[in-house]
Amino acid sequence: MKIGMFFLVLLLVCWGNFLKHVKADFPAGMVLIPSGSFTLGASSEDGIEGIDVGVDQIPRHRISLKSFYIDQNEVTVGEYRQFVQQTRHQEPCIWTDPGFSKPPDQETLSDVSYFDAEAYCEWKGKRLPTEEEWEKAARGADGRRWPWGNDFYKERTNTLESGLKKVVPPETFQGDVSPYGVHDMAGNVMEWTSSWYEPYPGNTLKRTAFGKKFKILRGGTWSESATPFARTTHRFPVLPSIAQPDFGIRCAKDVFP
């Protein structure tokens, strides 16, 4: 009994020290995703394979991650403009393309490549999330299909179904929020991750695209339908040099360097 009480006190002390460290060094504008296991991937229970559920998302399996921080919102035009001004990094093409209106600072950033995203996060003292980290931040530990639950509501997020057909500022859609309080993970812009496109453990799918060729984008977009793009499990492989008007950035950061 005394031994059990000793370990309980020790656990509480360790947890208290952890929280003190986190609170003392909590990055502004970021959310803490706690360590632990969660469900990654999808199965036939989540919908029709090849339509609702991509065959590269199978099987559902539990994995464990260390705690990490992730940006509460997608990077904005104004935030990226500061990066461009200070580093002389190339501007997104749509900033000067006459076919697009000049984006205001408060609008969510788009039209960036993986290399742009990686450079921006490094400049901020952060990094890109892995696709596993992104998925946990989007769906929580209970394996939900959308950040808010298992049923889709078009009024909650900026996908093709919203009818806007354009990028909007972060948190325009208040319903698009994950269990951890992370916004716009189902819609608005897709977000680059640091992960290469590889099959999941237990997946026998053979694709020439697998390997260190394509980086993974996660999340839905204003230009595509909710199914399958806005689902928390959807994987979108793209060459890291490609930039499109619906590719954006959300950074992550280690809790302990």
Side-chain angles (χ1 to χ4, degrees):
M1 191 71 178
K2 291 182 179 180
I3 295 176
M5 183 62 69
F6 169 78
F7 281 110
L8 177 59
V9 172
L10 181 63
L11 176 63
L12 291 174
V13 169
C14 291
W15 180 247
N17 289 335
F18 170 76
L19 289 179
K20 286 180 182 178
H21 174 87
V22 168
K23 289 179 180 178
D25 194 34
F26 203 98
M30 302 192 84
V31 171
L32 175 66
I33 308 301
S35 62
S37 64
F38 78 106
T39 298
L40 180 79
S43 71
S44 57
E45 296 178 3
D46 297 305
I48 303 171
E49 291 183 25
I51 298 177
D52 302 312
V53 176
V55 291
D56 60 352
Q57 300 166 30
I58 296 170
R60 268 183 173 239
H61 54 292
R62 299 287 292 183
I63 68 167
S64 185
L65 294 176
K66 295 179 180 179
S67 56
F68 63 95
Y69 297 112
I70 195 165
D71 287 345
Q72 186 171 29
N73 292 312
E74 294 163 329
V75 174
T76 65
V77 169
E79 290 170 328
Y80 196 77
R81 183 167 285 135
Q82 291 179 353
F83 162 66
V84 169
Q85 291 171 345
Q86 293 186 29
T87 65
R88 297 188 181 279
H89 193 88
Q90 184 177 354
E91 294 182 345
C93 292
I94 61 172
W95 287 12
T96 55
D97 190 327
F100 292 86
S101 58
K102 186 176 180 180
D105 282 356
Q106 67 269 24
E107 186 174 286
T108 299
L109 174 72
S110 63
D111 200 36
V112 288
S113 71
Y114 168 83
F115 298 118
D116 296 328
E118 184 180 49
Y120 173 82
C121 290
E122 184 176 347
W123 175 74
K124 291 289 289 185
K126 303 177 183 180
R127 59 174 174 80
L128 285 170
T130 64
E131 69 165 326
E132 293 85 359
E133 288 174 334
W134 191 99
E135 187 166 321
K136 182 174 184 179
R139 74 190 308 195
D142 58 1
R144 57 186 61 188
R145 298 168 190 166
W146 319 93
W148 54 81
N150 286 325
D151 297 311
F152 179 72
Y153 303 98
K154 67 178 183 180
E155 66 275 8
R156 291 197 177 188
T157 187
N158 188 22
T159 58
L160 196 62
E161 288 82 357
S162 74
L164 292 179
K165 300 182 180 179
K166 64 177 182 179
V167 178
V168 295
E171 299 189 37
T172 297
F173 287 78
Q174 289 292 313
D176 190 351
V177 60
S178 83
Y180 300 110
V182 187
H183 292 267
D184 298 311
M185 301 195 86
N188 213 22
V189 293
M190 294 182 180
E191 303 164 14
W192 286 103
T193 73
S194 62
S195 299
W196 294 106
Y197 186 45
E198 298 280 9
Y200 286 158
N203 188 313
T204 59
L205 187 66
K206 305 295 182 183
R207 282 185 172 174
T208 57
F210 287 146
K212 294 187 177 181
K213 301 176 185 177
F214 299 95
K215 289 291 186 178
I216 295 292
L217 284 144
R218 285 302 201 107
T221 164
W222 61 270
S223 65
E224 298 288 350
S225 62
T227 296
F229 292 95
R231 286 179 177 242
T232 55
T233 56
H234 186 257
R235 312 171 74 199
F236 194 70
V238 177
L239 288 170
S241 59
I242 300 297
Q244 290 189 5
D246 53 0
F247 292 178
I249 305 173
R250 188 190 303 272
C251 303
K253 187 179 178 73
D254 295 328
V255 171
F256 298 106

